[in-house]
Amino acid sequence: MNNVLVYCEMEDGAVADVSLELLTKGRSLANELNCGLEALVIGSELNGVENEVFSYGADIVHVADDKRLDPYSTLPHAKIAEDLFRGQKPVIGLFGATSAGRDLAPRVASVLKCGLTADCTALEIGDHVDNKTGKEYKNLLYQIRPAFGGNILATIINPETRPQLATVREGVMKKEKVTGNHKGEVKKIDAGKLLSDHDLIVKLIERHVEPRKVNITNSSIIVSGGYGVGSKENFKLLFDLAEVLGGEVAGSRAAVDSGFVEHERQVGQTGVTVRPKLYIACGISGQIQHRAGMDQSAMIISINDDPNAPINRIADYSIIGDLNDVIPKMIKYYKKNSK
Amino acid sequence: MTKFNIIVLAKQVPDTRNVGKDAMKADGTVNRSALPAIFNPEDLNALEQALRLKDKYPGSSVTLLTMGPGRAAEVIREALYRGVDKGSLLTDRKFAGSDTLATSYVLSMAIKKLEPYDIVIAGRQAIDGDTAQVGPQVAEKLNVPQVTYAEEIISLEQESVKIKRRLERGVETVVSPLPAVITVHSSAPPCRPRNAKLLMKYKHSRSVSELQDLSEDYLQLHRDRPYLKIEEWGASSISADEEKLGLSGSPTKVKKIESVVFKAKESKQLSSSDEDIDSLVKELIDKHTIG
């Protein structure tokens, strides 16, 4: 009761990465609030799903297993989620900001008459004093998100209503198994009893899902490399940094032409245009053709051994040095400083 | 041939896509006057889907609803120029400060006033908030199914609608009974341009408040051509419960706003020393750029 609850989405027979990331975040929020972490998995043929969920820190997993629940459809998933939220009364509910999560969470928030914040980039616990009434609120969920086309960062709270719901995009939170052999309790939901004909009135006629492709345009953090990276092997460093930061790897045309990185990752006039929150340009001189594809990034960091490289003129920070030295240090200090 | 009663939801938004340097004031707040107010892009995709249905099923009607301040009447005029039959502006001080829950309540009460309706079509999300919450929440308040991310409304029948949806990694086709709420994705066809005849017909259309500042000639024109009047609906005209409106009807509150538009680029030069990199990483984490 009054725990943190994560709606877990299934993808290709396993719990989706975004849900595992939310379980990781949910676990740390639950620890801070001194409460438990619950997961809700809705789908079909879910045998064994609990083990994966437990290894990311859930104390209870609610499983609704019914062939009518896969693939995702709004009304039956909303019915089950609503029933569980009413029964368990969690303080916080987290959903992936995916096609399904962004369809489901608002419907659930509306029926529960509670607040929902979409696409949060950070979730923290904090207190609040209402300026007008002077009333104090303890342990609220700070839901931090960009708004206004990414030009402002807003902290949203729900002082009075529960649960406090939020969606988070894939790759924003870190995914980390809990240490030790964490086990929890499985609670089965009787979907057959809950669902009525009314919940099944929208019929799926056809569905075509494409395999995952690299899509750097959606990434809020991009680690990009140029000719100065030197080799395909050296690019591995960039992949390491991107993985730690939850970002994607990109390359300049020179890097792609040299075969260091595949074409679908090319940024610039002949590649894709990106405007991430953070663009780290490694060994990129910064020709106009490349800058055209990335100069709208909210923040640019360049790593280059040439202090006069044109990229430094549009960079917020220019690190003058060898990327083989700088990138491992960035990874090291990120791990040290992030919670 | 069956006729349908179609409702389109649209929002006037500041154009956040091309934010220039003057978009933020020195104190870090948004300089709204530097951003033009536009018809929310995906609502235009939604409008096109509605107009295509009207073309396909002659005799159907399209009504546009928009909630906002008085100047949002412009959205209704733009829709009239493209072929909607009528529009209402939902405007009231009591609506101010509404989050998505309170907004969807207002829209659902306005839709109920237009009953019976067959289909409600809106854009997936508005570019000022990017929440994509209002469509599904309106559907829930009306207790009807929702079909989100529509790329094409394939067919409409007396009691059902067939829709192609655009998902993150694919497409699906579903059939929903009517009435239903549909949200339209940006991958749907763009909206048709203004029609010259309709532009001539509706260019003097004005909301009740806009008319107050206009000359007697204008008032006479409106008396002769009642279709020029854009209706304004406040809380009482949609029988709204005041507790569910504005700030009191909004569970979410904004605690803090920070500007993330940076001042003219001032490049800071760092060395590859441990101290420099450690402090840079700390700063990025503090600013929520990473972590």
Side-chain angles (χ1 to χ4, degrees), chain A residues 32 45-46 50-51 58 64 79 86 88 90 124 129 162 173-174 177 183 198 201 211 233 238 254 269 295 305 313:
Chain A
E32 208 172 332
E45 294 176 36
L46 298 176
E50 62 274 12
N51 297 323
K79 170 60 91 51
R86 288 198 195 281
Q88 296 301 108
E124 292 165 9
V129 179
R162 296 291 176 275
M173 301 293 174
K174 275 188 297 187
K177 288 192 180 184
K183 283 285 172 227
H198 180 77
I201 50 176
E233 289 67 45
L238 277 66
Q269 222 161 28
D295 63 0
D305 52 15
R313 290 203 293 272

Side-chain angles (χ1 to χ4, degrees), chain A residues 4-280:
Chain A
V4 175
L5 196 148
V6 173
Y7 168 80
C8 292
E9 215 170 297
M10 297 298 291
E11 186 182 308
D12 308 326
V15 180
D17 275 352
V18 65
S19 304
L20 299 176
E21 292 159 12
L22 289 178
L23 285 170
T24 304
K25 186 69 198 181
R27 182 70 259 171
S28 78
L29 293 172
N31 291 348
E32 208 172 332
L33 293 171
N34 206 9
C35 68
L37 175 65
E38 301 181 40
L40 167 61
V41 189
I42 304 177
S44 170
E45 294 176 36
L46 298 176
N47 275 336
V49 75
E50 62 274 12
N51 297 323
E52 200 177 5
V53 174
F54 292 147
S55 68
Y56 285 87
D59 303 306
I60 303 174
V61 56
H62 304 270
V63 180
D65 193 338
D66 186 308
K67 63 180 191 307
R68 296 171 298 177
L69 293 170
D70 179 59
Y72 169 84
S73 175
T74 314
L75 297 177
H77 279 236
K79 170 60 91 51
I80 288 166
E82 178 197 345
D83 187 73
L84 187 73
F85 273 97
R86 288 198 195 281
Q88 296 301 108
K89 299 190 169 39
V91 281
I92 292 172
L94 306 178
F95 298 76
T98 57
S99 296
R102 279 163 64 90
D103 178 83
L104 176 66
R107 184 119 190 162
V108 171
S110 179
V111 77
L112 299 174
K113 299 183 174 59
C114 65
L116 165 66
T117 305
D119 299 341
C120 294
T121 50
L123 296 170
E124 292 165 9
I125 301 295
D127 299 336
H128 176 66
V129 179
D130 188 297
N131 282 339
K132 275 190 201 140
T133 61
K135 194 170 167 186
E136 275 187 61
Y137 299 87
K138 292 276 177 211
N139 291 329
L140 293 181
L141 181 68
Y142 286 3
Q143 302 149 42
I144 299 160
R145 78 178 301 255
F148 227 76
N151 297 291
I152 60 172
L153 199 61
T155 302
I156 311 289
I157 50 170
N158 312 145
E160 299 285 352
T161 53
R162 296 291 176 275
Q164 306 162 86
L165 301 185
T167 68
V168 179
R169 284 185 187 273
E170 182 183 318
V172 170
M173 301 293 174
K174 275 188 297 187
K175 175 179 97 173
E176 208 164 52
K177 288 192 180 184
V178 290
T179 48
N181 188 18
H182 186 83
K183 283 285 172 227
E185 187 188 348
V186 181
K187 291 191 175 177
K188 293 234 185 281
I189 293 171
D190 188 349
K193 215 165 100 186
L194 263 178
L195 298 179
S196 67
D197 289 347
H198 180 77
D199 299 314
L200 302 163
I201 50 176
V202 177
K203 307 281 184 211
L204 179 66
I205 305 295
E206 203 184 329
R207 186 177 164 90
H208 176 70
V209 174
E210 292 138 14
R212 270 179 183 267
K213 272 189 288 201
V214 179
N215 185 356
I216 57 171
T217 53
N218 288 339
S219 187
S220 63
I221 295 173
I222 291 178
V223 181
S224 189
Y227 189 69
V229 175
S231 68
K232 194 171 179 173
E233 289 67 45
N234 284 357
F235 248 84
K236 210 192 147 290
L237 268 179
L238 277 66
F239 279 95
D240 292 344
L241 179 60
E243 197 190 335
V244 170
L245 298 179
E248 272 293 352
V249 170
S252 70
R253 179 164 183 179
V256 171
D257 287 351
S258 308
F260 297 169
V261 70
E262 59 269 45
H263 181 258
E264 57 199 18
R265 296 183 188 273
Q266 185 179 324
V267 166
Q269 222 161 28
T270 49
V272 295
T273 297
V274 295
R275 43 194 315 172
K277 208 163 64 169
L278 175 62
Y279 190 92
I280 304 177

Side-chain angles (χ1 to χ4, degrees), chain B residues 206-215 218-219 222 229:
Chain B
R206 292 292 181 271
S207 70
V208 182
S209 328
E210 285 172 326
L211 272 182
Q212 284 173 356
D213 305 326
L214 296 173
S215 65
Y218 237 98
L219 298 178
H222 270 247
K229 188 175 112 180

Side-chain angles (χ1 to χ4, degrees), chain B residues 26-68:
Chain B
D27 62 1
T29 60
V30 177
N31 182 10
R32 283 185 183 259
S33 59
L35 296 169
I38 58 165
F39 202 116
N40 179 51
E42 283 183 323
D43 296 341
L44 280 171
N45 297 106
L47 176 59
E48 177 60 26
Q49 289 297 315
L51 295 173
R52 286 182 181 203
L53 292 177
K54 193 184 159 186
D55 293 344
K56 209 163 150 187
Y57 307 101
S60 295
S61 78
V62 180
T63 306
L64 188 117
L65 291 177
T66 187
M67 171 171 149

Side-chain angles (χ1 to χ4, degrees), chain A residues 99 102-103 110 207 210 317, chain B residues 125 140 148-149 172 283:
Chain A
S99 296
R102 279 163 64 90
D103 178 83
S110 179
R207 186 177 164 90
E210 292 138 14
Y317 296 94
Chain B
Q125 63 191 35
E140 192 282 323
T148 48
Y149 327 128
E172 76 178 24
E283 195 180 327

